[in-house]
Amino acid sequence: MVEVIKNISEWLKIQKEEIKSDKSIGFVPTMGALHQGHKSLIEKCRKENDIVVVSIFVNPTQFNDSNDFKNYPTTYEHDIKMLEECNVDYLIFPNFDSMYPDGYHYKVIEDDFSKKLCGATRPGHFDGVLTVVMKLINIVKPARAYFGEKDFQQYKLIDGMCKAFFMDVEIIPCETVREQSGLAMSSRNKLLSEDEIKIAPIFYKLLKSDLDLNKIKIKLEEASFKVDYLDETDGRRFGAVFLGNVRLIDNVKK
Ligand code: PAF
């Protein structure tokens, strides 16, 4: 049975008194609405650690658009079932006040890569991500933490933060899990209409094609996507698009 912990001090007590110091803790932070992509992170974490901790916290400080925050899917019952199936030991499920006793006056800010790609059109997004991830890592104190490569920029920034602040944790990237159609798994896919679900895989197909970015943009627009950005850097091609109100991101190695 997964033990659900809403109170951070309760977790700190368990961690101090019940988890032996020779047991490794593996950590998968999430915002819930769990899917097969999360499952693969949790399974890898289960294989590589003695104790598996997952967190579910829809972190308001990383949403630059309040409607996006309000509409973020929540599937708590389903999530708990998946955590049970994956043999997770602890779920950390805190509320805003317990995560932000400072009212978000203290922030972690990266001032270079976080301003590019997704950061260019989502001001403050990565400040919120880095801040909450540092808080969660400080709370959970894992040996390893797992992040999906669908959010490659997020993974790189978190890895950089942990190195910059000498945080004693290994950040493990995990390959993007895709639907059979090629569409990268994402909690936001749940917000797509039936028609949009059919169109969405075109994004990945074009991203990994040999076409140049201009041609890809034209083809995406023809297929009714609104392109937020397309870019190539460090041997990867990155993109973010809107289908209706839903923002999808993806990236491929070039
Ligand atoms: O990738 C996510 O789900 C979130 O950005 C994370 C890492 C859990 C921080 O809120």
Side-chain angles (χ1 to χ4, degrees):
M1 281 286 278
V2 57
E3 191 167 336
V4 180
I5 295 174
K6 295 189 175 165
N7 194 313
I8 290 166
S9 51
E10 191 190 333
W11 161 254
L12 294 176
K13 191 161 181 275
I14 291 175
Q15 212 233 5
K16 205 166 168 195
E17 292 174 9
E18 292 178 30
I19 300 180
K20 297 214 169 64
S21 58
D22 63 340
K23 296 254 187 251
S24 63
I25 297 176
F27 178 42
V28 183
T30 81
M31 299 205 295
L34 303 181
H35 50 69
Q36 295 300 311
H38 294 113
K39 196 169 183 188
S40 78
L41 301 183
I42 297 170
E43 284 170 350
K44 189 168 164 62
C45 181
R46 178 74 279 171
K47 275 197 205 113
E48 297 178 354
N49 300 278
D50 301 312
I51 308 283
V52 174
V53 179
V54 172
S55 64
I56 294 181
F57 178 64
V58 185
N59 174 37
T61 67
Q62 70 188 74
F63 287 83
N64 54 306
D65 170 351
S66 58
N67 273 332
D68 189 24
F69 175 59
K70 262 198 275 171
N71 293 333
Y72 201 81
T74 51
T75 57
Y76 185 74
E77 300 300 321
H78 155 91
D79 293 354
I80 290 283
K81 244 205 227 146
M82 185 185 281
L83 300 180
E84 297 279 5
E85 273 165 28
C86 295
N87 214 1
V88 168
D89 299 293
Y90 297 98
L91 168 65
I92 311 280
F93 188 58
N95 63 19
F96 180 80
D97 290 341
S98 56
M99 285 302 290
Y100 288 94
D102 59 315
Y104 197 42
H105 289 291
Y106 288 85
K107 298 179 191 185
V108 182
I109 296 173
E110 192 276 355
D111 71 359
D112 182 17
F113 190 39
S114 76
K115 308 295 179 205
K116 298 176 178 150
L117 304 174
C118 283
T121 50
R122 299 189 70 190
H125 167 65
F126 286 117
D127 303 351
V129 170
L130 293 178
T131 303
V132 82
V133 170
M134 183 185 273
K135 284 170 186 272
L136 287 165
I137 288 177
N138 286 342
I139 293 164
V140 176
K141 302 183 182 69
R144 297 173 197 87
Y146 297 77
F147 295 88
E149 285 187 346
K150 180 183 73 76
D151 301 291
F152 194 83
Q153 188 180 12
Q154 167 175 280
Y155 149 68
K156 284 300 266 186
L157 285 165
I158 290 169
D159 190 48
M161 171 183 77
C162 293
K163 290 184 170 122
F165 290 100
F166 304 99
M167 293 166 70
D168 192 13
V169 59
E170 194 183 343
I171 300 301
I172 317 252
C174 304
E175 230 176 86
T176 304
V177 180
R178 298 181 182 281
E179 304 283 357
Q180 256 185 352
S181 63
L183 175 65
M185 294 213 182
S186 163
S187 302
R188 286 194 167 83
N189 295 352
K190 295 187 173 75
L191 301 172
L192 295 170
S193 70
E194 253 174 61
D195 285 343
E196 287 165 346
I197 278 277
K198 286 183 202 135
I199 300 168
I202 297 172
F203 178 32
Y204 172 60
K205 279 195 194 107
L206 287 170
L207 212 54
K208 71 177 169 73
S209 72
D210 291 331
L211 298 174
D212 66 33
L213 295 182
N214 277 332
K215 289 242 172 56
I216 294 177
K217 182 164 191 273
I218 291 166
K219 286 200 174 285
L220 281 167
E221 284 170 351
E222 278 170 3
S224 82
F225 292 92
K226 191 170 155 272
V227 176
D228 188 0
Y229 71 83
L230 291 169
D231 208 346
E232 276 173 7
T233 175
D234 290 337
R236 273 187 186 258
R237 183 179 268 177
F238 294 83
V241 293
F242 284 93
L243 252 189
N245 292 325
V246 184
R247 188 172 182 277
L248 302 174
I249 64 171
D250 205 344
N251 67 89
V252 296
K253 233 192 204 141
K254 276 320 278 173

